[in-house]
Amino acid sequence: MSRLNGKRTEAERDGLKVNVAILGAGRIAHHMAETLNAMAEDPRYANLVAPYAVAARDGERAATFAKQYDIPVSYGSYEELLTDPEVDLVYIATPHSLHAEQGIQCLKAGKNVLVEKSFTANASQAQELLDVAHEIELLCTEAIWTRYMPSRGIIDDIIASGAIGEVRTVSANLGYVVSGKARMIDPALAGGALLDVGVYPLNFIDMVMGPRPIERINTAMIRHESGVDAQSSTTIIYQDGTIGIADSSMVSVSDRSASVWGTKGYLVCENVNNVASIDVYDPNHSLVKRHDVPEQLTGYEYQVASAANAILDGKGECPEMPHADTMRIMQLMDRIRSQWGLKYPFE
């Protein structure tokens, strides 16, 4: 179990820190460790979270990781993590195909979970994981950092102000050359561009468009020799006549731009994966205003802080990425893969 399960008053919250354990010791786990250390030294977060533990399937690897980041505890198996009562929140940083199984194990052991995107490999797994979270009444939230960042609120405010008029089209792309990584090309690990990089353009579109009904989806992809998607282009046509366009690739470098087109102008975001600035243009393509994004520690701190506050408030989801939004994205990606005829071996 966790020390912090259950609701508490503001007075009872005072002085409580959420102990965070990292499950997995790969590349993204290192970023989280850097984040937790930075948060522990920042007065905005120092009394909220504490880097506590790391677990890997290899004890020596976990110990080396813990030493590198001055993390107090390391485990040579994931099972050891589950039995430690001092663990309050588990950040799951393993391949997509393992998220559902490991998330359920953590929840059943009384641990709240912050699950790296893509939340799971498919919507069926996502629903199973969320069903367990609802039954046990613990926090289960998706770690897609762009949903939690201040840039999201800035974009929402620009659109709500009417500065670009009525939104008609949203376009976003993300591409990196990452096809050399084993997990990216392995169908058994739910590899491919869609779940790893394509999820960001789709989430950007969804953050602007929300849960409006979809009329149809036009999509095409190029397969990697291993069978997973190497790159793709998807157009979402909504019933109200608006359009979302998402492009993703693991075999080419994209400009990472994201744009929202309106009846009175448009806005352009630099880097859909971690928005650095937002430029607003008028119908004559003249720059009206540049909105800078607040300086960040690593960018991961926002999702960690949201999860920690939700735990201390006794909530099962975070407002920035509620379960309904996670399910909508998972169902959308399932629908896209279905049109491609792409199934993972375990499906």
Side-chain angles (χ1 to χ4, degrees):
M1 297 298 291
S2 164
R3 307 167 301 130
L4 301 179
N5 294 347
K7 297 180 180 179
R8 57 192 49 80
T9 66
E10 186 171 342
E12 290 172 332
R13 280 189 50 161
D14 189 41
L16 291 176
K17 289 186 184 181
V18 174
N19 284 339
V20 184
I22 301 172
L23 194 155
R27 178 188 60 83
I28 205 164
H30 285 269
H31 291 313
M32 179 55 74
E34 293 167 357
T35 301
L36 293 173
N37 281 340
M39 293 179 77
E41 296 175 359
D42 190 300
R44 294 171 295 176
Y45 308 111
N47 293 320
L48 179 63
V49 298
Y52 175 72
V54 61
R57 288 173 295 183
D58 180 275
E60 185 175 342
R61 185 184 188 195
T64 300
F65 186 106
K67 183 178 180 180
Q68 180 179 352
Y69 295 103
D70 293 320
I71 294 175
V73 180
S74 67
Y75 315 98
S77 71
Y78 300 148
E79 290 71 23
E80 290 178 73
L81 180 154
L82 301 181
T83 61
D84 188 339
E86 296 299 311
V87 172
D88 304 312
L89 173 64
V90 178
Y91 169 65
I92 297 177
T94 52
H96 312 304
S97 58
L98 301 174
H99 289 179
E101 176 186 352
Q102 293 172 340
I104 289 171
Q105 289 175 341
C106 288
L107 289 167
K108 288 186 174 180
K111 312 301 183 188
N112 301 280
V113 290
L114 175 61
V115 185
E116 185 54 50
K117 62 79 198 157
S118 163
F119 186 64
T120 55
N122 55 44
S124 176
Q125 288 185 355
Q127 190 61 65
E128 183 180 5
L129 177 53
L130 291 177
D131 285 346
V132 173
H134 294 153
E135 178 184 351
I136 298 179
E137 298 183 337
L138 290 176
L139 175 79
C140 179
T141 194
E142 184 175 2
I144 177 156
W145 63 341
T146 52
R147 288 271 184 169
Y148 301 81
M149 289 176 168
S151 56
R152 179 183 182 180
I154 297 171
I155 294 167
D156 288 346
D157 289 344
I158 293 169
I159 294 172
S161 74
I164 64 171
E166 184 180 352
V167 173
R168 304 304 300 166
T169 304
V170 183
S171 175
N173 73 77
L174 187 61
Y176 299 105
V177 179
V178 289
S179 56
K181 296 181 179 181
R183 70 171 183 84
M184 290 293 299
I185 62 174
D186 189 345
L189 297 179
L194 180 65
L195 266 62
D196 198 80
V197 297
V199 67
Y200 287 109
L202 291 176
N203 267 277
F204 184 88
I205 292 169
D206 189 77
M207 283 188 277
V208 175
M209 295 300 201
R212 65 185 71 191
I214 295 173
E215 180 179 303
R216 69 184 186 277
I217 297 173
N218 297 329
T219 184
M221 70 91 161
I222 303 299
R223 288 183 186 270
H224 184 270
E225 60 185 17
S226 68
V228 301
D229 58 300
Q231 59 180 334
S232 67
S233 183
T234 297
T235 301
I236 305 166
I237 298 93
Y238 296 94
Q239 290 180 10
D240 62 1
T242 55
I243 291 177
I245 305 163
D247 298 300
S248 64
S249 175
M250 67 174 185
V251 294
S252 59
V253 180
S254 80
D255 61 13
R256 308 180 302 178
S257 67
S259 305
V260 182
W261 307 347
T263 55
K264 297 180 181 179
Y266 58 96
L267 65 81
V268 178
C269 299
E270 179 189 348
N271 188 5
V272 68
N273 190 37
N274 184 3
V275 175
S277 63
I278 304 153
D279 291 337
V280 179
Y281 293 87
D282 67 16
N284 297 315
H285 310 287
S286 296
L287 179 64
V288 175
K289 186 174 183 179
R290 163 162 287 192
H291 297 260
D292 292 320
V293 174
E295 186 177 350
Q296 60 191 27
L297 299 178
T298 67
Y300 285 29
E301 67 267 26
Y302 304 112
Q303 61 190 5
V304 175
S306 180
N309 280 310
I311 291 169
L312 293 174
D313 289 336
K315 296 179 179 178
E317 58 187 343
C318 292
E320 297 88 348
M321 190 55 168
H323 295 163
D325 289 7
T326 285
M327 283 304 304
R328 188 165 62 252
I329 294 297
M330 293 307 309
Q331 290 163 353
L332 176 60
M333 291 195 295
D334 278 6
R335 187 169 171 180
I336 290 169
R337 286 196 299 114
S338 177
Q339 289 195 32
W340 295 343
L342 174 57
K343 284 189 174 183
Y344 304 122
F346 50 83
E347 292 183 308

